[in-house]
Structure formats: C-alpha cells, structure tokens
Amino acid sequence: MLIGIFGYSFAWFLVILLLSVGLTAWGTFDIRLGYFIPTFFRKKSHAQRQVALTFDDGPSPYTAEVLQLLKTYQFKATFFCIGKQVSAYPHITRMIIDEGHTIGNHTYSHPKSFGFLKEREIVTELERCNLIIQQIVGKKPQFFRPPFGVTNPLVAKAVQYTKQHVIGWSNRSLDTVIGDDDKIYRRVRQKLKSGDIILFHDTSQRTVDALKQLLPYLQKQGYISVSVDDLLNLQGYE
Ligand SMILES: [Zn+2]
C-alpha cells in the first residue's frame, strides 16, 4: 500500500518535473511567452493602422539603403544594433538617429552562446553596447532585444540591473533563413496585423529587396510604420 502511494506520488512528481522543465525550455526559446521578463511584442489595442518595423544585427553596409527606403515612404523604424557594428559604422549609426529612427541595444558582440552566459557576462554585453551607443547618440538606449530572442532568468536579472525594456516581435520575416526576397515579403504580408512589431535584419540585399515590395504594400493598405517608442508609448532613451 505504502509503495503504491509512493509510486503514485512519484509519478505525479515526475509529471510536474517534466512539465516545468518543458515550460522552462519553451520560455527560454520563445520570446513571445514573456515567461521570465515582461516582454513587449506588439501593441494590443490601437486606433490607427500602425506597425513598427525593426532591424537587428546592424548597422551594416545595407543599412544606408534601408534608410533610403524608409525615407521614401516617411516610415520610422527601430534598429537593434550590435555594439561592435556601431564601432565599425559610426557614420551609419549617426544617420539612423539623424533621420529620426530609434536605436536599441542588441548586445556588444551578439555571442552565439548568449543563452549560456553568466549574469555578469550578460550585464557586460549590455553595458558595453549601451556605452558605445551613448558615445554616438549622447543618450542611453532603453530598449533591448536579446540575440536569438533568448530570455532566461539570468537575462531577466541582467535587464533588471540595466533597467531596460525587452522588445520582442509579433511578425518574424525569417529574412536570415529564407533565401528569396519575394517569399520573405509574402510571409510578412500574410501575417500582418495592426500593432505588429516586425522583425527584419539590415544585413542583406534580400531584406532590402523584400522591403521594396513590403513598404509600398503597407502604404497602399493605409499602414504607417512608427518607432517602437511611439508604438508602445515608451521612452526610447534614458
Ligand atoms: Zn541578432
């Protein structure tokens, strides 16, 4: 009898353990759950047809063409910059700001092992990126987008320490995975909803080519793109 009861409770223990391990793994890799940190991934209620185009991993030589396209349609965007890239392309970083867009933090070096870093290492990645952006923009960015969208309890602690907002996305272009610009454009268009935060990377020609289709489509549908700060009514800088 005792063994029987023990057997049942052990089985329940296993079920609960597996559920929590599963949830943790899921929360780590799906930023939209906001499992560890309050994460902004779209604007829920809104009167206007607004989206927020966002670009990760730049600035790069492709950023200037992205800026030119945004200017043509009078759209505003948010660029989640890698600190190292900001150092390599300070003039493009300044262009982003001069043209009225917002810059957010996307770590200093975009480590592949981001999900496995210690809290102190994450803070260092955040602070080094903040400092470089601050040197060019004159202000500390308030928005942070984790590399690969990874969040875990240590990332949560680090972000609490640097007092930044985590910005995710609701519409992912998969522009680093899909090789064809037409498919990238159609994927974003198919999922498009007002209030979306749309994830792109300003690091390839195919993204530029996808934008050449998407931006006129947005305009025709009556959408405007605004910066994340405007979409969410948050401060972009400290
Ligand atoms: Zn990235």
Side-chain angles (χ1 to χ4, degrees), residues 56-57 82 106 110 146-148 201:
D56 286 13
D57 296 2
I82 298 174
H106 196 46
H110 207 280
F148 319 106
H201 297 78

Side-chain angles (χ1 to χ4, degrees), residues 27 30-42 44 80 142-146 149-169 197 228 232 234:
D30 193 344
I31 195 168
R32 287 174 304 166
L33 292 175
Y35 184 57
F36 299 111
I37 323 169
T39 302
F40 297 93
F41 57 88
R42 70 187 304 262
K44 279 175 192 141
F80 289 94
Q142 280 292 81
F143 299 144
F144 169 62
R145 177 172 282 160
V150 167
T151 58
N152 62 38
L154 297 181
V155 174
K157 275 190 184 173
V159 171
Q160 272 159 15
Y161 180 80
T162 62
K163 299 191 179 71
Q164 287 172 293
H165 297 299
V166 176
I167 309 293
W169 56 79
I197 296 177
V228 164
L232 301 172
L234 293 170

